[in-house]
Amino acid sequence: MRRATGLLFFVSLFAVSGTTFASGVTETPDNGSEQMGRGGAWIARASDPLATLFNPAGLAGQPSRITIQANLLVDHTCFTRLRSASDTTADLSLVDGTGHYPRVCNDIQAVPNPQFAITWRVTDRLGLGFAVAGPSAPADKKFPEFITDNAGQPVAQPGRYLLLKQSGVIVFPTIGVGYEVIDNLRLGASVAWGIAKLKLATAVLSLNTDNSSPSTNDLRANLQAADYFVPQFSLGGLYSATPEIDIAGWYKWSDAIRSRGDVGTAANYFSKANAGGDDSGVRYGDTIYEDCGTGTTSKACGAGDNATAKFVIPMEAKLGIRYHKPRGVLTGWNGEKRAHLRDPLATDVFDIEADLTWANNSAVEAFEVRFPGDATGRGVLPVSGTGGEFPPNVDAPRAFKDTFGLRVGGDYNAIPDKLALRAGAFIESSALDERYQSIDFAPQTRFGIALGGTYRIRLGSDDKSSAIEIMAGYGHVFYADQTREDPKADGLRAIAGTSCNKSDPVSADKCADGNPRYRTKWPINLGTITNTLNVINVGLAYRF
């Protein structure tokens, strides 16, 4: 019998999680047509209902409006794995003369990320907002399970230990309020209740040994985890220092995501028979069942919810300054003078904004993942078809660094009160510790460009109080490559079921040879990772 399995699912767990913090490692600027089309330079403009998320101070002075938008994100991530010098289990039929495996990329698909928001202009000085949106990141990503070796035979693809598949539903219902406390000074706040439900799959080793065949020793592990309460809040300010200059600040805090769930396993999954469609040799199990799916009288897994996972969401802050050229007398929907109105499409000739951003990514030292274990550090949950157990600790180190960025963008109102054209760009520093590079996030240095526009249609010949707006935008993000090309370097280790390889445990987390328990002696993330991202936004709004 093979010994137990572990789980490296949390290396990829939060590639689709987090909130709308686009300076963090999981996202890219920005949800929303105006926001994304200006390269994320928007907090000092904050002129549509998504200000509820990005700067609630901008709710003060907005006309009432409902908007429905969607970002379509097309992510392309590729991994060219380098065989570690200490890895004796490599599929040599795949490795070339330089020690590299074939390049493997995720499936190309357009992932929709919808946003809904509404503002209510209570008075000239008071505005309320409600918004529902997910993160500005691809929610679904799928890598092939098998590729073909030099002999034309199906084999497990080399990046399987990092990520095979991820999908999920993540939304953050948010309510906000903005108030002009004195002329030209607006303050705002918002609170959110985050909900996350994730499904992820990766490969793990059943037996921690120097000589094993991936076709019989590797398992497919599938995580389903959820957290139905992730509180967060944000604070914002917007000061119109002169009729042409606005200055803004924004800060957000979020609680950590603390999810619970269960894991399904499939032993013998990467066999040639299963690759050909014959799964009769696959042995399935799931910690949701009382006996963990083993078919025995064991009650080790109880009522489920055996996996716990914690991810720290970094704090974030932005500072912005905006120059805008007024078109003349500030007027409202019916032509009357309204000093507190904020409607740049009607009242400005053009504007340009620059934002400085910061995200406290260094708070993310590791993704914490735990299963039940005993006092000696051994797991107590059996794995069906293997005779072993889940390791109690499968934390995935990351050691991210704080991220700093600059965003610049603006609008030009080609036809007053009707057509706005916009463009922008951003650059953000790397949060990557190359030892822990992976294909779940893209934390390296990144640069993006974007453009877009809004077309407004007034409704009725006499009634000037309502309008429909059609919005569109496009953005492209360039990423520096993640590269770790020394075959003798250390990095992320694959999770394995055997506690120690040719050694004995000396503590709950260490083996006598110095290696961590339940992990291979060799890293599985050496090589080069490349990323690109295209974002298309379409939207519709009704103003009243």
Side-chain angles (χ1 to χ4, degrees), residues 10-11 310-311 364 366-369 394-396 398 400 440-441:
F10 212 68
V11 171
K310 176 183 176 182
F311 176 68
V364 185
F367 304 145
E368 181 182 296
V369 187
V394 286
D395 291 0
R398 277 300 183 267
F400 287 135
D440 50 2
F441 294 104

Side-chain angles (χ1 to χ4, degrees), residues 325-396:
K325 181 175 178 58
R327 188 168 293 280
V329 178
L330 185 63
T331 61
W333 293 102
N334 298 311
E336 78 277 15
K337 294 181 180 180
R338 295 175 63 179
H340 304 287
L341 178 70
R342 299 187 69 251
D343 182 17
L345 180 55
T347 61
D348 287 347
V349 178
F350 69 89
D351 77 332
I352 185 169
E353 179 173 340
D355 293 354
L356 298 175
T357 67
W358 166 77
N360 183 214
N361 294 313
S362 60
V364 185
E365 297 180 358
F367 304 145
E368 181 182 296
V369 187
R370 305 292 168 87
F371 293 94
D374 63 22
T376 68
R378 179 177 177 178
V380 297
L381 300 185
V383 179
S384 178
T386 69
E389 72 274 358
F390 288 91
N393 183 324
V394 286
D395 291 0

Side-chain angles (χ1 to χ4, degrees), residues 75-77 104-109 111 138-145 157 163-167 201 220 269 439:
D75 165 76
H76 193 218
T77 300
V104 177
C105 303
N106 66 310
D107 296 344
I108 301 299
Q109 56 183 332
V111 179
D140 298 315
K141 184 179 288 189
K142 182 180 180 182
F143 290 86
E145 297 173 336
Q157 67 99 339
L163 179 65
L164 287 173
K165 183 180 180 180
Q166 65 186 20
S167 62
R220 191 179 195 271
Y269 188 86
I439 56 178

Side-chain angles (χ1 to χ4, degrees), residues 99 109 138 145 192 198 253 275 307 316-317 403 405 408 441 460 470 475 525 538:
Q109 56 183 332
E145 297 173 336
L198 308 172
W253 173 90
E316 186 181 3
T403 297
V408 178
F441 294 104
I470 301 169
N525 68 331
V538 292

Side-chain angles (χ1 to χ4, degrees), residues 141-434:
K141 184 179 288 189
K142 182 180 180 182
F143 290 86
E145 297 173 336
F146 297 92
I147 60 174
T148 303
D149 66 10
N150 296 329
Q153 298 298 312
V155 293
Q157 67 99 339
R160 61 194 177 277
Y161 301 116
L162 296 179
L163 179 65
L164 287 173
K165 183 180 180 180
Q166 65 186 20
S167 62
V169 176
I170 305 171
V171 294
F172 287 84
T174 305
I175 57 174
V177 58
Y179 185 68
E180 189 173 3
V181 293
I182 59 174
D183 286 354
N184 301 317
L185 177 61
R186 298 171 174 87
L187 301 177
S190 69
V191 294
W193 179 320
I195 301 169
K197 190 170 184 179
L198 308 172
K199 296 181 180 180
L200 303 136
T202 189
V204 298
L205 279 70
S206 175
L207 181 67
N208 191 353
T209 181
D210 288 335
N211 297 292
S212 64
S213 170
S215 64
T216 57
N217 195 42
D218 287 2
L219 299 92
R220 191 179 195 271
N222 304 278
L223 168 72
Q224 297 188 57
D227 185 351
Y228 296 108
F229 180 53
V230 185
Q232 65 179 226
F233 73 85
S234 71
L235 301 173
L238 179 57
Y239 176 54
S240 298
T242 73
E244 295 85 19
I245 296 176
D246 295 328
I247 301 171
W250 177 79
Y251 167 81
K252 189 181 69 178
W253 173 90
S254 180
D255 193 12
I257 294 179
R258 309 169 195 271
S259 60
R260 297 192 67 94
D262 287 283
V263 179
T265 56
N268 299 323
Y269 188 86
F270 295 98
S271 65
K272 292 182 180 179
N274 190 45
D278 179 8
D279 67 347
S280 60
V282 179
R283 296 294 178 262
Y284 296 98
D286 201 313
T287 61
I288 197 173
Y289 300 116
E290 188 176 62
D291 65 350
C292 306
T294 60
T296 67
T297 58
S298 169
K299 297 183 178 181
C301 287
D305 274 351
N306 289 283
T308 63
K310 176 183 176 182
F311 176 68
V312 175
I313 298 178
M315 295 182 293
E316 186 181 3
K318 302 175 187 176
L319 290 174
I321 184 168
R322 170 178 175 259
Y323 173 81
H324 60 108
K325 181 175 178 58
R327 188 168 293 280
V329 178
L330 185 63
T331 61
W333 293 102
N334 298 311
E336 78 277 15
K337 294 181 180 180
R338 295 175 63 179
H340 304 287
L341 178 70
R342 299 187 69 251
D343 182 17
L345 180 55
T347 61
D348 287 347
V349 178
F350 69 89
D351 77 332
I352 185 169
E353 179 173 340
D355 293 354
L356 298 175
T357 67
W358 166 77
N360 183 214
N361 294 313
S362 60
V364 185
E365 297 180 358
F367 304 145
E368 181 182 296
V369 187
R370 305 292 168 87
F371 293 94
D374 63 22
T376 68
R378 179 177 177 178
V380 297
L381 300 185
V383 179
S384 178
T386 69
E389 72 274 358
F390 288 91
N393 183 324
V394 286
D395 291 0
R398 277 300 183 267
F400 287 135
K401 296 175 285 189
D402 283 3
T403 297
F404 299 89
L406 172 65
R407 305 176 182 183
V408 178
D411 276 43
Y412 171 65
N413 296 325
I415 304 177
D417 198 33
K418 185 175 289 290
L419 176 64
L421 303 176
R422 62 183 60 95
F426 73 90
I427 187 169
E428 291 178 352
S429 64
S430 174
L432 176 68
D433 185 320
E434 64 179 16

